[in-house]
């Protein structure tokens, strides 16, 4: 699907989907539990549906409460496998979901026998050697199927044990660490993990809270370098409501700020378990007009002429050194939305400690540089950083800024959902007559089903071309 976007104004209220990170954790833990669990407001994205299709291979049953049109409902029921959980009965195809790959493979490794993990073309380019290494430390025999490769298919012969302390960097991703923490629920011994370079630490806290919810004892040091998990005697079924996904909130948020817009985003998650909520403070430091009402779980965003000052200019001028420096090690998925906003910000934005972004659905650092430059942006990249030399469409007095040079172009999504959404919303802030065409934009369904329809309900005007 090729999407066309152009300058437009947003108005009204919108709600973004539930969190992918929370939904996948809920499905996996409900599978491990004894009894029937209900998950309210799950995210019906491709990654979550891949998880719902995978866990029955280990003994649970998932009822998506499909509508008459065949769409997943708003309440999913998981009949947990509990003590009857078993080795996967088939190869597990995770689709495009790195979360599912890294979460479920350590759990599967707790069983005696072989399990095999693979996925789509993108997944088969994501490294799994760090997963194999920690499982081998635990007594498994884990390796990639193709000699000389670092990628899926991943073949695991279990079982593992938690008798030895697991030592790993943690810099490649937090996801396999969360997978180890969940696998600990099936082991007799208390699991001890030592990390030399932990990243994406808010997601480790998210996993901790989920495990504590079902009765596990979890300890994480202040620097996240030491983690221990002790399983409960029994994992009991639960009911839960999935909060909104901050990674999805970021896109209508940025879209409103770079256009003459006034919107409210409802059902905002204020729990602090999603590191991406830091984007609000980052954007406000640039002068963004954002009001977060924590009593009503609502964010109001006003951009351009609709902002409090009537200009809506984003700038780094009031920051130390006149530059924005953001360390994204805790929430690297924000790179796409933040890069889009930085292109409309007067001043230099340094996005730092993002080496992990090269190992996501795409190499997001190089992909964003290439595609943003097609739109007229000035971008530098390093091994673990990006610098965006941005310009606001307006000077401080509200007059047009001659240095603002963004324009339309035909761009590639690389089948990366967050790249597609970020580049699409940039079209709303372009000069009149300019258009952005995004190829293979259907990939947005991985984390934000019906993204373009939802945005069009508040005036985005995206068209299939």
């Amino acid at each position: 699907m090729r999407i066309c976007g152009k300058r437009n104004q947003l108005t009204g209220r919108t709600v973004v989907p539930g969190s992918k990170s929370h939904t996948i954790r809920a499905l996996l833990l409900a599978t491990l539990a004894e009894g029937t669990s209900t998950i309210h407001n799950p995210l019906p994205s491709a990654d979550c549906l891949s998880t719902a299709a995978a866990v029955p291979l280990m003994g649970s049953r998932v009822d998506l409460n499909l509508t008459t049109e065949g769409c997943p409902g708003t309440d999913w029921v998981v009949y947990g496998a509990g003590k009857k959980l078993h080795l996967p009965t088939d190869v597990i195809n995770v689709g495009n979901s790195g979360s599912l790959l890294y979460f479920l493979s350590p759990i599967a490794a707790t069983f005696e026998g072989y399990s095999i993990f693979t996925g789509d073309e993108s997944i088969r380019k994501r490294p799994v050697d760090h997963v194999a290494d920690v499982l081998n430390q635990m007594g498994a025999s884990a390796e990639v199927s193709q000699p000389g490769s670092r990628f899926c298919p991943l073949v695991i012969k279990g079982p593992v044990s938690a008798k030895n302390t697991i030592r790993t960097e943690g810099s490649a991703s937090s996801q396999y660490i969360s997978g180890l923490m969940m696998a600990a629920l099936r082991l007799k011994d208390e699991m001890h993990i030592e990390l030399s370079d932990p990243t994406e630490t808010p997601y480790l806290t998210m996993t901790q809270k989920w495990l504590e919810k079902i009765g596990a004892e979890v300890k994480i040091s202040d620097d996240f370098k030491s983690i221990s998990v002790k399983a409960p005697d029994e994992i009991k079924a639960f009911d839960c409501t999935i909060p909104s996904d901050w990674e999805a909130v970021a896109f209508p948020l940025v879209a409103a700020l770079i256009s003459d817009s006034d919107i409210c985003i409802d059902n905002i998650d204020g729990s602090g378990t999603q590191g991406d909520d830091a984007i609000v403070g980052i954007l406000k430091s640039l002068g963004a007009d954002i009001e977060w009402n924590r009593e009503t779980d609502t964010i109001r965003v006003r951009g351009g002429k609709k902002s409090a000052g009537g200009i809506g200019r984003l700038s780094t001028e009031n920051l130390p050194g006149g530059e924005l420096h953001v360390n994204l090690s805790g929430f690297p998925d924000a790179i796409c939305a933040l890069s889009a906003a930085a292109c409309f910000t007067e001043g230099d934005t340094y996005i730092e400690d993002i080496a992990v972004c090269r190992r996501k659905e795409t190499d997001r650092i190089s992909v964003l540089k290439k595609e943003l430059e097609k739109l007229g942006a000035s971008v530098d990249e390093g091994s673990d950083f990006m610098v965006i030399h941005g310009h606001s469409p307006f000077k401080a007095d509200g007059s047009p800024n001659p240095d603002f040079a963004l324009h339309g172009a035909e761009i590639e999504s690389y089948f990366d959902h967050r790249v597609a959404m970020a580049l699409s919303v940039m079209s709303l802030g372009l000069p009149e007559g300019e258009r952005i065409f995004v190829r293979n934009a259907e990939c947005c369904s991985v984390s934000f089903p019906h993204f373009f329809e939802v945005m069009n309900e508040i005036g985005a005007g995206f068209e299939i071309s």
Side-chain angles (χ1 to χ4, degrees), residues 303-384:
K305 296 177 182 177
K306 300 292 182 64
S307 65
I311 299 175
R313 183 172 182 263
L314 303 178
S315 173
T316 65
E317 59 196 1
N318 294 322
L319 296 175
E323 300 171 342
L324 173 64
H325 289 259
V326 184
N327 186 308
L328 283 191
S329 63
F331 50 109
D333 284 335
I335 183 176
C336 297
L338 184 58
S339 295
C343 291
F344 292 84
T345 299
E346 190 66 33
D348 294 339
T349 296
Y350 290 75
I351 305 175
E352 300 165 333
D353 204 353
I354 52 173
V356 69
C357 294
R358 294 195 183 277
R359 300 185 292 272
K360 293 291 185 177
E361 283 81 344
T362 56
D363 177 344
R364 285 179 174 160
I365 299 176
S366 63
V367 161
L368 285 168
K369 173 179 168 61
K370 182 177 181 179
E371 300 308 309
L372 291 174
E373 287 180 341
K374 289 181 183 178
L375 299 173
S378 175
V379 183
D380 297 328
E381 72 166 296
S383 60
D384 65 347

Side-chain angles (χ1 to χ4, degrees), residues 36-47:
T36 303
S37 299
T38 303
I39 304 171
H40 307 282
N41 192 43
L43 174 67
S45 72
D47 282 7

Side-chain angles (χ1 to χ4, degrees), residues 107-326:
I107 297 173
T110 63
F111 292 96
E112 184 173 356
Y114 288 91
S115 55
I116 302 173
F117 287 78
T118 189
D120 67 8
E121 182 179 3
S122 173
I123 283 292
R124 297 195 305 277
K125 294 178 180 177
R126 297 180 71 172
V128 291
D129 50 342
H130 53 295
V131 180
D133 175 68
V134 294
L135 296 181
N136 288 332
Q137 288 184 45
M138 297 173 70
S141 175
E143 59 184 349
V144 296
S145 65
Q146 301 182 47
S149 171
R150 302 175 58 208
F151 314 118
C152 281
L154 173 65
V155 182
I156 304 166
K157 184 180 184 299
V160 295
S161 78
K163 292 181 179 180
N164 299 322
T165 297
I166 304 163
R167 292 181 171 86
T168 184
E169 289 185 0
S171 57
S173 168
S174 69
Q175 292 173 333
Y176 76 110
I177 307 303
S178 287
L180 291 172
M181 293 169 69
M182 287 186 270
L185 299 174
R186 288 200 23 84
L187 302 177
K188 294 180 180 180
D189 297 305
E190 183 175 0
M191 178 180 285
H192 296 277
I193 307 170
E194 297 294 332
L195 304 178
S196 61
D197 187 18
T199 57
E200 302 177 314
T201 53
Y203 294 100
L204 298 178
T205 301
M206 181 188 293
T207 302
Q208 177 186 17
K209 290 183 179 297
W210 268 104
L211 297 188
E212 290 173 342
K213 175 184 176 71
I214 59 173
E217 296 180 21
V218 184
K219 296 178 182 178
I220 300 181
S221 63
D222 291 342
D223 60 4
F224 288 88
K225 290 187 175 182
S226 178
I227 300 172
S228 65
V229 182
K230 184 177 181 181
D233 293 334
E234 182 180 74
I235 303 171
K236 295 182 179 179
F238 54 85
D239 280 14
C240 66
T241 299
I242 302 300
S244 56
D245 192 343
W246 266 102
E247 294 167 3
V249 169
F251 297 107
L253 179 63
V254 169
L257 289 176
I258 64 174
S259 56
D260 296 328
S261 299
D262 183 352
I263 64 170
C264 285
I265 307 174
D266 296 322
N267 193 32
I268 293 296
D269 176 19
S271 69
T273 58
Q274 300 183 59
D276 299 74
D277 61 4
I279 196 169
V280 171
I282 294 168
L283 293 172
K284 289 184 74 171
S285 75
L286 299 173
D289 185 352
I290 304 173
E291 298 175 15
W292 185 351
N293 188 326
R294 294 179 181 269
E295 293 184 1
T296 60
D297 297 327
T298 299
I299 280 183
R300 184 180 183 187
V301 192
R302 294 183 291 179
K305 296 177 182 177
K306 300 292 182 64
S307 65
I311 299 175
R313 183 172 182 263
L314 303 178
S315 173
T316 65
E317 59 196 1
N318 294 322
L319 296 175
E323 300 171 342
L324 173 64
H325 289 259
V326 184

Side-chain angles (χ1 to χ4, degrees), residues 2 5 13 20 71 77 103 215 239 297 354 366 368 404 415 424 465:
R2 182 173 178 259
R13 311 187 78 92
K20 180 181 74 168
C71 299
V77 180
F103 289 171
D239 280 14
D297 297 327
I354 52 173
S366 63
L368 285 168
F404 180 76
F415 297 95
S424 297
S465 64

